[in-house]
Protein backbone atom coordinates (compact mmCIF):
# COMPACT_ATOMS: atom_id res chain seq x y z
CA UNK A 1 0.00 0.00 0.00
CA UNK A 2 2.83 2.44 0.77
CA UNK A 3 4.23 1.97 -2.73
CA UNK A 4 0.90 3.21 -4.11
CA UNK A 5 1.08 6.16 -1.71
CA UNK A 6 4.63 6.85 -2.90
CA UNK A 7 3.57 6.81 -6.56
CA UNK A 8 0.74 9.23 -5.75
CA UNK A 9 3.23 11.47 -3.93
CA UNK A 10 5.45 11.47 -7.03
CA UNK A 11 2.50 12.38 -9.25
CA UNK A 12 1.65 15.24 -6.91
CA UNK A 13 5.24 16.43 -7.26
CA UNK A 14 4.52 16.63 -10.98
CA UNK A 15 1.32 18.53 -10.20
CA UNK A 16 3.17 21.21 -8.28
CA UNK A 17 5.75 21.67 -11.03
CA UNK A 18 2.89 21.89 -13.55
CA UNK A 19 1.28 24.58 -11.38
CA UNK A 20 4.60 26.43 -11.27
CA UNK A 21 4.79 26.44 -15.07
CA UNK A 22 1.21 27.65 -15.39
CA UNK A 23 1.72 30.35 -12.73
CA UNK A 24 4.79 31.69 -14.51
CA UNK A 25 2.80 32.02 -17.73
CA UNK A 26 -0.16 33.69 -15.99
CA UNK A 27 -0.59 37.08 -14.39
CA UNK A 28 -2.74 38.72 -11.74
CA UNK A 29 -5.19 36.64 -9.75
CA UNK A 30 -4.81 33.69 -12.12
CA UNK A 31 -1.14 33.43 -11.19
CA UNK A 32 -2.02 33.53 -7.48
CA UNK A 33 -4.53 30.71 -8.02
CA UNK A 34 -1.83 28.58 -9.62
CA UNK A 35 0.61 29.40 -6.80
CA UNK A 36 -2.04 28.39 -4.26
CA UNK A 37 -2.57 25.09 -6.08
CA UNK A 38 1.23 24.63 -6.11
CA UNK A 39 1.47 24.99 -2.32
CA UNK A 40 -1.44 22.58 -1.77
CA UNK A 41 0.03 19.96 -4.14
CA UNK A 42 3.44 20.35 -2.51
CA UNK A 43 2.02 19.88 0.99
CA UNK A 44 0.10 16.75 0.01
CA UNK A 45 3.08 15.37 -1.92
CA UNK A 46 5.43 15.78 1.04
CA UNK A 47 2.81 14.40 3.45
CA UNK A 48 2.38 11.28 1.34
CA UNK A 49 6.15 10.91 1.02
CA UNK A 50 6.44 11.02 4.81
CA UNK A 51 3.70 8.37 5.12
CA UNK A 52 5.35 6.07 2.56
CA UNK A 53 8.76 6.47 4.22
CA UNK A 54 7.39 4.87 7.39
CA UNK A 55 7.79 1.45 5.79
CA UNK A 56 9.96 2.07 2.71
CA UNK A 57 13.64 2.91 3.33
CA UNK A 58 14.02 6.70 3.14
CA UNK A 59 16.77 6.54 0.52
CA UNK A 60 14.60 4.41 -1.73
CA UNK A 61 11.42 6.40 -1.05
CA UNK A 62 13.03 9.76 -1.75
CA UNK A 63 14.77 8.55 -4.90
CA UNK A 64 11.60 6.98 -6.28
CA UNK A 65 9.58 10.09 -5.37
CA UNK A 66 11.97 12.44 -7.15
CA UNK A 67 12.36 10.01 -10.05
CA UNK A 68 8.62 9.81 -10.66
CA UNK A 69 8.38 13.57 -10.36
CA UNK A 70 11.27 14.07 -12.75
CA UNK A 71 10.04 11.66 -15.42
CA UNK A 72 6.48 12.95 -15.32
CA UNK A 73 7.60 16.59 -15.23
CA UNK A 74 9.78 16.09 -18.30
CA UNK A 75 6.84 14.45 -20.10
CA UNK A 76 4.50 17.28 -19.07
CA UNK A 77 7.13 19.75 -20.27
CA UNK A 78 7.31 18.03 -23.64
CA UNK A 79 3.57 17.52 -24.18
CA UNK A 80 2.08 20.56 -22.44
CA UNK A 81 4.76 23.25 -22.39
CA UNK A 82 6.36 22.22 -25.72
CA UNK A 83 9.84 21.68 -24.26
CA UNK A 84 12.37 20.38 -26.78
CA UNK A 85 12.70 16.64 -27.25
CA UNK A 86 15.69 14.78 -28.63
CA UNK A 87 17.21 11.33 -28.58
CA UNK A 88 19.39 11.94 -25.52
CA UNK A 89 16.45 13.16 -23.43
CA UNK A 90 14.54 10.00 -24.29
CA UNK A 91 17.58 7.81 -23.51
CA UNK A 92 18.12 9.38 -20.10
CA UNK A 93 14.42 9.34 -19.17
CA UNK A 94 14.36 5.64 -20.09
CA UNK A 95 17.42 5.03 -17.89
CA UNK A 96 15.73 6.89 -15.04
CA UNK A 97 12.58 4.78 -15.37
CA UNK A 98 14.73 1.63 -15.31
CA UNK A 99 16.48 2.88 -12.17
CA UNK A 100 13.16 3.55 -10.43
CA UNK A 101 11.94 0.06 -11.25
CA UNK A 102 15.26 -1.39 -10.07
CA UNK A 103 14.98 0.42 -6.73
CA UNK A 104 11.47 -0.89 -6.27
CA UNK A 105 12.63 -4.43 -6.98
CA UNK A 106 15.58 -4.37 -4.58
CA UNK A 107 13.85 -2.15 -2.01
CA UNK A 108 11.45 -4.83 -0.78
Amino acid sequence: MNWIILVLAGLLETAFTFCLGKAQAANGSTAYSWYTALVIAMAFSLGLLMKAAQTIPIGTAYTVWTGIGTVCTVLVGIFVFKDPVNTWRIVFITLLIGSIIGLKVVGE
Side-chain angles (χ1 to χ4, degrees):
M1 183 64 179
N2 279 333
W3 280 99
I4 294 169
I5 290 170
L6 184 58
V7 169
L8 184 57
L11 294 175
L12 282 169
E13 184 184 8
T14 303
F16 76 72
T17 57
F18 172 79
C19 292
L20 178 63
K22 294 300 270 185
Q24 289 175 335
N27 53 35
S29 62
T30 304
Y32 290 120
S33 297
W34 283 111
Y35 284 124
T36 300
L38 178 148
V39 170
I40 292 167
M42 189 179 295
F44 278 104
S45 180
L46 288 171
L48 291 173
L49 173 61
M50 290 184 330
K51 173 68 176 149
Q54 291 175 344
T55 59
I56 299 170
I58 189 65
T60 301
Y62 182 77
T63 304
V64 170
W65 177 70
T66 58
I68 291 169
T70 301
V71 169
C72 292
T73 298
V74 168
L75 294 176
V76 166
I78 290 169
F79 292 111
V80 175
F81 296 109
K82 307 301 180 207
D83 288 351
V85 61
N86 59 46
T87 303
W88 285 112
R89 280 188 114 185
I90 300 303
V91 166
F92 288 120
I93 289 298
T94 303
L95 288 171
L96 186 54
I97 293 168
S99 298
I100 293 167
I101 292 168
L103 281 171
K104 200 274 186 228
V105 169
V106 301
E108 290 185 352

